[in-house]
Amino acid sequence: MSAPKKVVLAYSGGLDTSIILKWLQAEYGCEVVTFTADLGQGEELEPARAKAVTLGIKEENIFIEDVREEFVRDFVFPMFRANAVYEGLYLLGTSIARPLISKRLVEIAEATGADAVAHGATGKGNDQVRFELAAYALNPDIKVIAPWREWDLTSRTKLLEFAEQHQIPVAKDKRGEAPFSVDANLLHTSSEGKVLEDPAEMAPDYVYQRTVNPEDAPDTPEYVEIGFERGDAVSINGEALSPAELLTKLNELGGKHGCGRLDLVEGRFVGMKSRGIYETPGGTLLLEAHRGIESITLDRGAAHLKDELMPRYAELIYNGFWYSPEREMLQAAIDKSQEHVTGTVRLKLYKGSAQTVGRWSDHSLYSEAHVTFEDDAGAYDQKDAAGFIQLNALRLKLLAARNRKLK
Amino acid sequence: MSAPKKVVLAYSGGLDTSIILKWLQAEYGCEVVTFTADLGQGEELEPARAKAVTLGIKEENIFIEDVREEFVRDFVFPMFRANAVYEGLYLLGTSIARPLISKRLVEIAEATGADAVAHGATGKGNDQVRFELAAYALNPDIKVIAPWREWDLTSRTKLLEFAEQHQIPVAKDKRGEAPFSVDANLLHTSSEGKVLEDPAEMAPDYVYQRTVNPEDAPDTPEYVEIGFERGDAVSINGEALSPAELLTKLNELGGKHGCGRLDLVEGRFVGMKSRGIYETPGGTLLLEAHRGIESITLDRGAAHLKDELMPRYAELIYNGFWYSPEREMLQAAIDKSQEHVTGTVRLKLYKGSAQTVGRWSDHSLYSEAHVTFEDDAGAYDQKDAAGFIQLNALRLKLLAARNRKLK
Amino acid sequence: MSAPKKVVLAYSGGLDTSIILKWLQAEYGCEVVTFTADLGQGEELEPARAKAVTLGIKEENIFIEDVREEFVRDFVFPMFRANAVYEGLYLLGTSIARPLISKRLVEIAEATGADAVAHGATGKGNDQVRFELAAYALNPDIKVIAPWREWDLTSRTKLLEFAEQHQIPVAKDKRGEAPFSVDANLLHTSSEGKVLEDPAEMAPDYVYQRTVNPEDAPDTPEYVEIGFERGDAVSINGEALSPAELLTKLNELGGKHGCGRLDLVEGRFVGMKSRGIYETPGGTLLLEAHRGIESITLDRGAAHLKDELMPRYAELIYNGFWYSPEREMLQAAIDKSQEHVTGTVRLKLYKGSAQTVGRWSDHSLYSEAHVTFEDDAGAYDQKDAAGFIQLNALRLKLLAARNRKLK
Amino acid sequence: MSAPKKVVLAYSGGLDTSIILKWLQAEYGCEVVTFTADLGQGEELEPARAKAVTLGIKEENIFIEDVREEFVRDFVFPMFRANAVYEGLYLLGTSIARPLISKRLVEIAEATGADAVAHGATGKGNDQVRFELAAYALNPDIKVIAPWREWDLTSRTKLLEFAEQHQIPVAKDKRGEAPFSVDANLLHTSSEGKVLEDPAEMAPDYVYQRTVNPEDAPDTPEYVEIGFERGDAVSINGEALSPAELLTKLNELGGKHGCGRLDLVEGRFVGMKSRGIYETPGGTLLLEAHRGIESITLDRGAAHLKDELMPRYAELIYNGFWYSPEREMLQAAIDKSQEHVTGTVRLKLYKGSAQTVGRWSDHSLYSEAHVTFEDDAGAYDQKDAAGFIQLNALRLKLLAARNRKLK
């Protein structure tokens, strides 16, 4: 790979990406463009602008954007249509944000004539893979710089020395090492590393940032009604909300009731297992409610096929293959199923749990006439079941007869 | 089908199966053998014996058995190795009990020279299918009698008249109709029908029989450690327990903390949707803990394959195909994966939720040396990630280049 | 089911469906509408009109249509996009024609105010299921009459007596029983039953109707080039052809060279195994060529996902679930993959085999630059493979280390 | 990676691996152990011994083994139980041999105290991955040397110079470059590269080495009967044969009749597409026959599950994951299904095609009594089909009714 001339850096304004910024300049003598996105991580963006200016970035090379609506509408919602969970439990909060960042990095590179993009993910994690696969899939000629895999700033001390040498201001509370590493966006907060590295040990309470401890949640349940149209949530308690507004509101509700905490050991794409603490308050409500509305509006055949496809779909997102033909094929199948996933679900939120307690829809496939224990007025002829069972049994009977004969 | 001469009836001792007993005698003039099993449903069995005698069944034709250990060991545990849930949520508590009942019905038929078996499931549900597919798979020549599909006792009034005519004692509290229908065994209690038929309406609290309302659960969390060997739970808080003892104990713990309630609309195999309230306190803890121990002992490739196979496996059990070659194939694959699923999981139980907060094992695949944010002493070379990503990206790059060329 | 008042019958003009026509009138006193379709079965349709008139059907109740283009365009081609084969070998020639027939039956019923449709499939086969599931999926209120499951004309003699009683002309060569049963359309001819019922016995040569015996095929290979656009064949040897024209031409080519014969024992949806002789000359060429063009234009991820979904997709078509949400979901995924499946494949046809010997496309993903054994000018860095392998190996190494430790 | 001290080299005795042998000594100053296996590639092994001695390898460090029986019994046969084909067509002849070679390399390393193994696969292909994943899975501490990824002998000229410098004898016909690259074993011969690199061009006839051109095959068909027991072939025309003998015999038969030629463009695991010419004469017969015997002895549920699992299974083998938990899980499922896959299949071989024309077995599930067009004496009640269809249709009807209501 030839040296990059102009690099678009995913820039948070924090110490690590500031060091990367300076390192790119020092290492490659290249022009740096910064991209700072509001994905709902809950931090002010303007300080990042000021900091970039301080570090010598030209005004026209500073890109700061609020992408929350795009994030929820084009990434989070499509994923939730699939009821995606990784390894049975993880709602993919980090995974789903990476492709959007790469998409904007590549677009800004094309707009500014940059030949490379750079990110601050380490060489041990999944995020490097997600950033880079997405970037390459969107622009096969782009260069991707992953400083953590390249430089020799392999300790906190070296990093701080580098910062000092390059006049990068270091906040006092950043001098020491963080007790764990955090990623956050509108969908979730993840914490991992350091104090969390022993999976036998319970995570200390201070790790949790976005959800109250269930013990501290209200002693009274709260009921919330989530409205869906064609598979996507569109309202809360009857109030229509934009995607990002809706997820924000669900986060408040879920966080308040201690919902969506997860302590998980997962298998990384790069081969080792890692332990993470995830908080996905709004997403947890959304998943439960989406399953709830599907339960009455989605045909069994479609629902079961979705369930069978889901683990693969989730794995693709986890592994960074959002922009791949196979993810898009699965998405096409999933989206096809959502045409009638419209209606309302009532959830009960209480001390860490979120459970469907009611659901209704004009698109419902539930037929009280058919299922009733009462007289069904001929909707269903129980005698049909005899034939149904006989023919389902036929191959099993032939099998049993064969096996008996051979004994 | 020629008329049966001797029928083994799945007999609970209750009013409905007592009516079936008499109806079989009246309709077919056949000898009736009763089979009453203790599956952990929480009812005394001896009254069933007395009642059968009263109804004229010969002592040698009355079979009463405690099958709880067999149930948990040979049915529940194998199923939990798969982390089986139907439609994302249902732990299959009713489904998994049916094949065992059919197995004993067929075995007793063979032992007593009966040519038929009979069950009390209706023509609208899944249980008829489960009973019958299992029976036919075990004995292709057996006849199966499903009185609810055959007789004309289509109302409560007619049933009570029949009971009166045939001197079947009717308890006073059975004169009225039950407000909903219940099935119970050591794994779960299900309630459905009548007051539960409107899926928009929250289930009334009196429906729940085995779990306290989370609001009424203890205000202090309880921690429990579940030990596993080769995929099966073997101990609680260090105390070795037999399968049925263990599940009994988990039920107590889960029930006390309000764990394992589920309000579900599901797609029945016979084609309609139905709404059920399920309580699976112990099973809910077991599933969570089993996923927890797998998370550190099971390889990612095995775990993901299991997740992909699981929905089909669960569907097979739900649909009644326990005794089918494809369920057995999947079981072989699942069991193969469990060799090292050994270790201990700590769960936190609190007001309806059961969550893994720690897990450890001599068989752990978790390598702190590899995953650590600290210096890993060369366990992992971050530069490998570059090549890993490049080759994973190659096809995506070729694709992007092709698509760009054609634009 | 209340008695039908007006029935649309799938009418071939042959003896069996003529008997059904009269039986419907006699049994139900209902008005009969006939629908005769040219699906490419190779029979004149006008005699069916004359016969229907003879049997008393009103002119406005006789529907005769050439649906060959619709058949190939909307049913055969979508199916071939999936490379669908049932049980590894069967190209689903009968299965794929049934939904179209049902669709027209239902549409004609709605247009003529009929409340029922009728078909001539027996109660042992798959076709009854396919006809009826499609009809019910398109009109949930339609009645379906399957005379073979209802009447008592259970022997050849009784059928002929019925024909005689009802003045149905019986051709001399129809007095005896056919030595086997045939179904044909533009995609295939199937033969089954009678002389073919022993699967150990080789099918006699006179069974084959549409393909020459490979021994009698030309001694010189013939090469044919099939052009594709977006997954569908559009030309042969450079000549653009409509879907039905194209399949007709492929049938000629394949038939001449003895391609597409299949002697199969298959598992029917109704539970038993049956033996069929299938001739699918054009389809066999089409499948081979479609795989050929996909091999250079379809990404590996998409191709492998398609291969994994295919057996389910084929099973759905075989079982009659063309009009089901899950088939439509799979179709959406498959269609999504075909956007760039454009280009040309050269096949060699010779004495029963059809093999790809060349393929080219502007949409090709094949990169000689990457794959070459010669100098690749830096297109591919072989050192990347080391990292790729290391990280793919990591979990296997951790597994091996764990297993060694425990030995 | 520290430098290896003692390396076990997969040594063919040919020029390339002789150069590797010397290069290992020169580069690492390490002791070299050679392993030469007879996998049925059709070459004498003793010349490899002589050559190794010439190159200075100690007698006790030369391992020459006939592993043909192990190869067929423990690798080829288990794979054929799955009917495995990669990308619809490739019988995995190269892929399946690699794990066995790695297994022996690792075993010899452990026996001789070597700390490394080496292979002669390039950095562009799949074989490096297969060799190395297998080696690491069997010994997590082993070093693997892949000289083609490391050295700078990047042209034919440099290789020959190196050979000259190190006194490696170069046969005259090896001075020029081979027109394509070949791999062979008892299952297949593959040819790729150079003259084959344009996938539009038909492969020249001289590429084929193991099968006659179908045009040159006998003008008379030959019939062959293959006997199976529990999924594995055990006899030909009634003669019991060992696994390797049997495959050898099938190769003769298939080769004589021009069976098993394949011209394929495939997606490599490392990301690019490549074109290969494969000859798998015996394997082609074996696959056809195995499907044939399964068609009468394997239950439909098992068969369809196998078909769904197969693409993944084949992909795992292609990608080098033979020794992975997920391949072993799938193998357990597949093997479970083969218990009754016992019986005989008759194939017709003629001018490039091999087709099942008859099959019989004591384990047959085919029931003429059920399927017959004649009177079935009550084996099957056609009326059962009505109920079977009604309940399969129910969800489709509910769906159609819902959709109509909303229009």
Side-chain angles (χ1 to χ4, degrees), chain B residues 299 312 363 395 402, chain C residues 299 312 363 395 402 405:
Chain B
D299 167 70
R312 175 72 64 87
H363 299 248
R395 66 181 176 94
R402 188 266 309 268
Chain C
D299 167 70
R312 175 72 64 89
H363 298 248
R395 67 180 175 95
R402 188 265 310 267
K405 189 192 73 178

Side-chain angles (χ1 to χ4, degrees), chain B residues 297 299-301 312 340 362-363 365 370 380 384 387-388 390-391 394-395 398-399 402-403 405-406, chain C residues 297 299-301 312 340 362-363 365 370 380 384 387-388 390-391 394-395 399 402-403 405-406:
Chain B
T297 58
D299 167 70
R300 188 189 73 207
R312 175 72 64 87
H340 287 284
D362 291 341
H363 299 248
L365 293 166
H370 281 83
Y380 179 95
D384 286 339
F388 180 71
Q390 280 304 329
L391 295 205
L394 179 51
R395 66 181 176 94
L398 290 168
L399 202 57
R402 188 266 309 268
N403 294 354
K405 190 192 73 177
L406 291 171
Chain C
T297 58
D299 167 70
R300 188 190 72 207
R312 175 72 64 89
H340 287 285
D362 291 342
H363 298 248
L365 293 167
H370 281 82
Y380 180 96
D384 285 339
F388 180 72
Q390 279 304 328
L391 294 205
L394 180 50
R395 67 180 175 95
L399 201 57
R402 188 265 310 267
N403 294 355
K405 189 192 73 178
L406 291 171

Side-chain angles (χ1 to χ4, degrees), chain A residues 299 312 362-363 395 402, chain D residues 299 312 363 395 402:
Chain A
D299 167 70
R312 175 72 63 89
D362 291 342
H363 299 248
R395 67 180 176 94
R402 187 266 308 268
Chain D
D299 167 70
R312 175 70 64 88
H363 299 248
R395 67 181 176 94
R402 188 266 307 268

Side-chain angles (χ1 to χ4, degrees), chain D residues 120-192:
Chain D
T122 79
K124 283 193 169 178
N126 296 302
D127 285 330
Q128 57 177 340
V129 190
R130 296 167 188 151
F131 279 128
E132 298 179 31
L133 293 184
Y136 291 134
L138 294 169
N139 183 340
D141 302 318
I142 202 81
K143 295 184 184 81
V144 184
I145 321 283
W148 286 97
R149 292 201 307 260
E150 295 190 24
W151 67 28
D152 55 0
L153 306 178
T154 52
S155 71
R156 195 75 197 159
T157 313
K158 289 186 189 167
L159 281 169
L160 291 174
E161 280 172 15
F162 183 94
E164 210 152 303
Q165 283 163 23
H166 293 80
Q167 280 88 42
I168 303 169
V170 181
K172 270 205 179 137
D173 64 339
K174 297 289 177 185
R175 297 233 150 241
E177 290 197 54
F180 53 89
S181 165
V182 172
D183 175 66
N185 59 47
L186 198 56
L187 181 55
H188 95 334
T189 297
S190 75
S191 305
E192 55 180 15

